[in-house]
Amino acid sequence: MAPSVSICLAIAALPLLLEQSRSEMATIPLPPNLQCPPSQVFDYAGLVCSDCDSTKIQPGVCGCPSTSLQTHVDCSIESMWQGSCKDLTCSTECSILSEVASLDQQYCIPCSSNESSAPNESSKYDDLSNECSCNNPAKGPSTGTHVVTKKLVEIYNETGSPIRKDCYRCPEGMAVIIKDLYEDGRQFFVAAGREYIADPHLCVSCPDPYMFFDTDYTCVCVDGYLVAGEASIGEQSCLENNPSVSSSYSRVRFKDPFALEEESDEPHDFTLESITFSHLYLKAAAECEYYKGSSGKSLQSCQALSNLCVMNMYDEDMPACKQLEVISQRRVETYHNQEEWKYTLPWLYYQDEADYVTSDRGINMRISFRTEVNHVNILSFKLAKFTVDGVFVGMEDLTNQFEFCFSSLDNNDRKKPHWLAFGNSYRHEYDCSIDHLLGKEMYLYDLYLVDESSESCNVNSLRSDCLYPVPVLNRNLVKENKFPNANMQLGDDLDDIYTRRFFIFDNQSGRTPSGTEAVRFAKKIILQIQTQSENPSQLYPPRLIVEYATTANGNRFATAEKEATNTSLVFKVEYSMKTENFWASIQVMIGFIFAFAVVIFGVRMNNFFTRQQANVDDPAARSTLGLHFILHAVMIACHTFVLLFFSFNTIICAYWFIFFKLQSEVFLLLPSDNEFHGVSNEYYFFEASFRVLFWCQSIYIAYTIVDQCRSDLIFVDWESPHRGKSSSNGVPMWRLATVLFWILLFSFYFCFFT
């Protein structure tokens, strides 16, 4: 056979040989709950249970038990490359010699005896634990006195080698935790809300310096101090003084002013005893009221107390807000010359009237649509971030935080969104599973606009002279059992109360001993940015509007069997300008158009009446002229209205469109599209007028068709052929204008309402 033929046959057979040599992928048996037999550990590299390198194993971890010595073996380079190195081996079992392993597991050493140590420092070998024991007292009844325990201490010789273990008494108030204190099923001991791991070599203290371990190993406060906090959710503390307001502080009221308007199935007015408020309030209120300097926890406590007030919707009848008001009245100094920003306290309320707050001219930077010298075209906001218990997390840029339940957004993605570019309004409505919020950590925020006109902002954008506080309109704010910011009717916004701090969801207020029974979340978040009337290249204070909703269904959130709760959320950024002068001009123009419409209507009706009187000779027919006249008058009125107001609306829309698109410097922004309850929407005029225009014209056409169908004689408009041109040379201009009118009318209708 020729060599070329052999090569061709070999190449042809190669895929068959590869197919036969290919091994099939087998399924991988995964250990249930990733739990392996006692002699093995879970190897996550191969998803298998593997033997330990050493001869012994601790629970779930390869290593030598504390009763034996461990030896490190030097491996060859080849064994490390191959992955077969076993550098740890377990050797002598110290318990055979009635000795214990040293802490570094390099020596077997004895427990101390009366001969080697003082009588009160001797330790004894325990056969059950294979460890030295100091015979610490077991858990007994509470006596209100310190429990006396001892810890194991290694004693070393002159060369630094351990020789024995002695017992040294713990300082007063501290104790040694042993495994006998563990409750059934637990691998730790809990006292005053803190978890402790048994360690005979360590003396531990209670969570608060004014606590001590009682003889029952519970943490109690010294005389003159009171225990505060819930051990089931956090560490307890001791208070020297009770706050001024110290009753009913765990009560949280959930009242939704918009639930009835929206016909929601959720309860809209109920009260819960919050375990979160019960845990935080007393400590926060007392430490903030009796301030002991910034070196302690007083600043954090003041933040925590303020957070509880915010979570209660600023209701001044609730204990947290009452206590905050008491403290605020006693503080003398202020921050940044702001009377509302009292020393050691966060700024929560604006005391000024709503119009004064939103019309302030303290922002100095100039804005533009594109990059220009000494102008800003991309805005920047900062968020001061706090945990519920008042810990200041830091300052962060505002990016996607307000779309807090949108699954496709990466929480680590901190790129600046496009709506920060001036003039780029944005609206995003999306569905959210409320159950998704239960496992997320809650934060509270203060929002600031970065005023980049200050030279110091070029160096450090976090300096206070660069940050302009953004007022917040909390539409659920409660004052005297009313909702002044709900604005259910026109003109209600005159008594709006602006605040500073807000949250985007609250999964803490609704926590009770039985679980989470209510979750409050921001259903609508709107950031409004408005240019100044007299100087459109500068801004009024941006305004953040937040409307909250509540989902509650008993302890449904705490149960394993529950249905997903979905709701629709809205986040919107709106760039606009004040349009009072514009609408005042529109009202004047509408008055002139109505007057002109009346004149045209009168002329058309006079012509109709004249023709009818001339054509009706039969007295019997004249008796029906009154009804026909009224019907025709209504149709003429509709048609006249359409002719004038369609043109008027078209001119208005063309004005906004043309001048908004063609402007190079900021002087015109589109009207605001309000979507809250009871708030006027500037686009309602256009929506209503185009609907009325459409139906008026449709009715008039129907009337014209019916009228012509009932006529015995139809007059046809005949145009004589133009000289030198064919009679079919073109369509008359008035016919083209009529067709164009209808095309525009239908186009506007479908653009607005479909």
Side-chain angles (χ1 to χ4, degrees), residues 73-87:
V73 180
D74 293 333
C75 296
S76 64
I77 296 296
E78 289 77 9
S79 63
M80 288 189 286
W81 285 350
Q82 296 170 2
S84 59
C85 173
K86 301 181 185 299
D87 73 330

Side-chain angles (χ1 to χ4, degrees), residues 470-586:
V470 175
V472 178
L473 183 69
N474 183 344
R475 302 195 74 226
N476 298 67
L477 182 141
V478 179
K479 184 178 179 63
E480 298 177 354
N481 203 28
K482 297 180 181 179
F483 300 94
N485 295 348
N487 300 337
M488 305 298 288
Q489 297 179 358
L490 296 179
D492 285 353
D493 57 344
L494 298 178
D495 62 345
D496 284 347
I497 299 175
Y498 284 90
T499 56
R500 287 283 298 121
R501 186 159 295 184
F502 65 97
F503 58 87
I504 54 180
F505 66 88
D506 178 6
N507 54 15
Q508 297 297 318
S509 299
R511 290 181 63 185
T512 66
S514 60
T516 302
E517 299 190 25
V519 175
R520 183 181 275 150
F521 55 92
K523 187 174 183 179
K524 293 180 180 179
I525 301 178
I526 296 184
L527 180 60
Q528 291 185 341
I529 303 166
Q530 197 171 69
T531 58
Q532 296 182 13
S533 301
E534 67 282 359
N535 191 355
S537 63
Q538 289 189 277
L539 298 176
Y540 288 120
R543 184 173 68 151
L544 185 69
I545 306 176
V546 186
E547 179 181 310
Y548 294 101
T550 302
T551 294
N553 191 3
N555 62 350
R556 181 183 64 82
F557 294 112
T559 61
E561 298 179 358
K562 57 180 181 288
E563 297 179 357
T565 304
N566 293 325
T567 188
S568 178
L569 305 182
V570 174
F571 169 59
K572 182 178 179 181
V573 180
E574 191 174 72
Y575 292 89
S576 64
M577 59 180 290
K578 291 189 175 182
T579 56
E580 291 85 354
N581 295 333
F582 169 79
W583 288 111
S585 302
I586 291 297

